[in-house]
């Protein structure tokens, strides 16, 4: 049994459920908004996907057209706290909560859909997000941890700090990538991938015809 499933099972058996996977292991197979309990935060609502690829996914980010319904051009404090509406789509769960959910390695799944109804995904194993002292640094096992159909744009974010328009932590010389893209992300440079980009998700390793109309990040 892999670490995410073992940790979720322990949570489900002995404590309040701390993820959608832990809920699933208590025989709660309900999609949509559910309550979980996070240490030092308490009870919080999260969006669960209990259907895709075995279920147990806690959704961290979702965007649907029109993307301008929720402004992703936000500062550090907003990205840390989270924003948007996780019942209706177009939201960021918040770096503080993402860190709490990903202090230990998790599976990360990214899904994209175009306006021509083409679907693709990327999954990564052994993904962690560090705390605020390390600027919510993202750690991934890419390329060995990658599988999917949209290419490994996520790999360029591995070991990168989170950057916002008022906190420039990327490795692009003389440019703040969050200002350029109009959104916070784990930038190495301003290149391959950013699901939060102001005009809509960017994932340059997958270029199907049409435009992206949906993106989602989720972990288990």
């Amino acid at each position: 049994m892999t670490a995410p499933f073992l940790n979720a099972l322990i949570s489900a058996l002995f404590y309040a459920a701390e993820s959608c996977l832990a809920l699933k292991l208590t025989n709660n197979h309900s999609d949509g908004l559910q309550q979980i309990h996070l240490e030092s935060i308490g009870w919080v609502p999260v969006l669960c996907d209990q259907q895709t690829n075995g279920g147990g996914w806690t959704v961290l980010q979702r965007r649907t057209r029109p993307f301008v319904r929720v402004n992703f051009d936000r500062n550090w404090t907003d990205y840390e706290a989270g924003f948007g509406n996780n019942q209706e789509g177009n939201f960021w769960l918040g770096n503080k909560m993402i860190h709490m959910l990903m202090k230990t390695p998790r599976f990360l799944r990214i899904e994209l859909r175009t306006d021509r109804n083409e679907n693709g995904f990327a999954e990564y194993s052994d993904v962690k997000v560090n705390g605020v002292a390390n600027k919510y640094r993202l750690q991934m096992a890419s390329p060995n941890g990658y599988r999917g159909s949209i290419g490994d744009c996520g790999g360029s974010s591995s070991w990168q700090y989170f950057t916002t328009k008022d906190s420039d932590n990327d490795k692009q010389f003389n440019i703040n990538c969050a200002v350029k893209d109009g959104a916070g992300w784990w930038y190495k440079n301003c290149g391959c991938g950013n699901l939060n980009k102001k005009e809509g998700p960017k994932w340059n390793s997958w270029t199907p015809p049409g435009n992206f109309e949906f993106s989602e990040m989720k972990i288990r």
Side-chain angles (χ1 to χ4, degrees):
M1 183 177 290
T2 60
F5 284 87
L6 180 60
N7 292 338
L9 180 60
I10 293 170
S11 169
L13 291 174
F14 299 105
Y15 308 102
E18 62 179 13
S19 68
C20 295
L21 178 57
L23 286 174
K24 185 177 179 65
L25 292 173
T26 63
N27 210 31
N28 182 340
H29 301 281
S30 298
D31 284 327
L33 208 62
Q34 303 289 327
Q35 293 284 333
I36 64 170
H37 191 274
L38 295 178
E39 179 186 355
S40 79
I41 295 179
W43 291 98
V44 293
V46 295
L47 196 63
C48 292
D49 173 1
Q50 303 291 23
Q51 306 303 318
T52 301
N53 193 25
W57 299 99
T58 305
V59 181
L60 310 180
Q61 183 258 25
R62 177 182 282 179
R63 297 183 77 192
T64 60
R65 286 188 179 274
F67 300 123
V68 294
R69 283 187 297 178
V70 173
N71 178 23
F72 275 69
D73 189 7
R74 306 272 188 138
N75 61 25
W76 180 269
T77 300
D78 286 345
Y79 269 97
E80 185 171 55
F83 52 86
N85 188 320
N86 60 2
Q87 286 182 282
E88 298 176 359
N90 285 289
F91 74 93
W92 181 257
L93 189 60
N95 289 341
K96 183 177 181 180
M97 284 182 58
I98 290 172
H99 162 64
M100 293 298 296
L101 288 164
M102 301 180 70
K103 290 191 295 184
T104 56
R106 304 290 180 181
F107 293 104
L108 169 68
R109 182 178 174 96
I110 290 168
E111 295 181 357
L112 291 168
R113 185 176 68 240
T114 73
D115 54 7
R116 299 190 181 186
N117 205 34
E118 296 182 71
N119 296 276
F121 77 96
E123 282 189 4
Y124 296 89
S125 60
D126 298 323
V127 184
K128 293 175 60 177
V129 172
N130 291 277
V132 63
N134 286 303
K135 303 175 184 176
Y136 299 110
R137 191 180 202 181
L138 179 71
Q139 296 176 215
M140 304 174 74
S142 176
N144 294 329
Y146 164 80
R147 75 178 191 92
S149 59
I150 61 175
D152 184 20
C153 256
S156 65
S157 291
S158 184
W159 292 97
Q160 304 310 310
Y161 301 112
F162 201 83
T163 286
T164 58
K165 61 184 180 182
D166 60 338
S167 184
D168 187 358
N169 304 307
D170 61 50
K171 293 185 178 179
Q172 183 71 42
F173 178 71
N174 209 31
I175 296 175
N176 181 331
C177 295
V179 173
K180 182 177 183 291
D181 275 4
W185 193 251
W186 295 278
Y187 296 98
K188 180 178 181 180
N189 50 42
C190 303
C192 194
N194 176 9
L195 299 182
N196 294 338
K197 188 177 179 182
K198 186 175 182 179
E199 296 83 4
K202 174 177 70 174
W203 202 262
N204 290 343
S205 58
W206 190 49
T207 55
N211 300 303
F212 291 134
E213 68 171 13
F214 173 87
S215 73
E216 191 170 82
M217 291 176 60
K218 47 197 174 188
I219 57 109
R220 72 176 179 195

